[in-house]
Amino acid sequence: MLAAVPRTPPIVIPEHEVELIAVRAQGAGGQNVNKVSNAVHLRFDVRRSSLPEDLKERLLRYGDHRVSRTGVVVIKAQQHRSLEMNRAEALARLNALVAAAAHVPKARRPTRPTRGSQHRRVESKVKRGRIKALRRTRGDDY
């Protein structure tokens, strides 16, 4: 029977802590890209957020290039043509970053080989040695 894994509630970032700025997208796109501001710059200050303290520390130590030295997460989304879709993608990327930083890996407990596995290993080595010994030529045969 499988044991139930305790689920932690998803981390919700309040809308007022995220700063979204519409900017012009880079790259190809013809006349549309020059006149429409449909890319999104997302800025999220980790230190001033309402996240739990341990999560803030993990997020700041996470080593992601999107987290600046001052503790501000900067994400630029310009994949889509509409501002709304880029805004949703930027928020999804922020949530994914926070969720990845929230994941605590399970601590590894070192294990030892069982007595049976040690015995099998030594026996296989002895057997291999016997096979090789049979291949050797004796000097008095010639």
Side-chain angles (χ1 to χ4, degrees), residues 104-122:
V104 180
K106 192 171 134 182
R108 183 190 178 277
R109 292 198 329 247
T111 58
R112 298 193 54 145
T114 62
R115 185 175 290 152
S117 70
Q118 287 177 347
H119 181 70
R120 286 190 297 273
R121 178 179 151 271
V122 172

Side-chain angles (χ1 to χ4, degrees), residues 5-11:
V5 178
R7 289 263 181 211
T8 56
I11 291 119

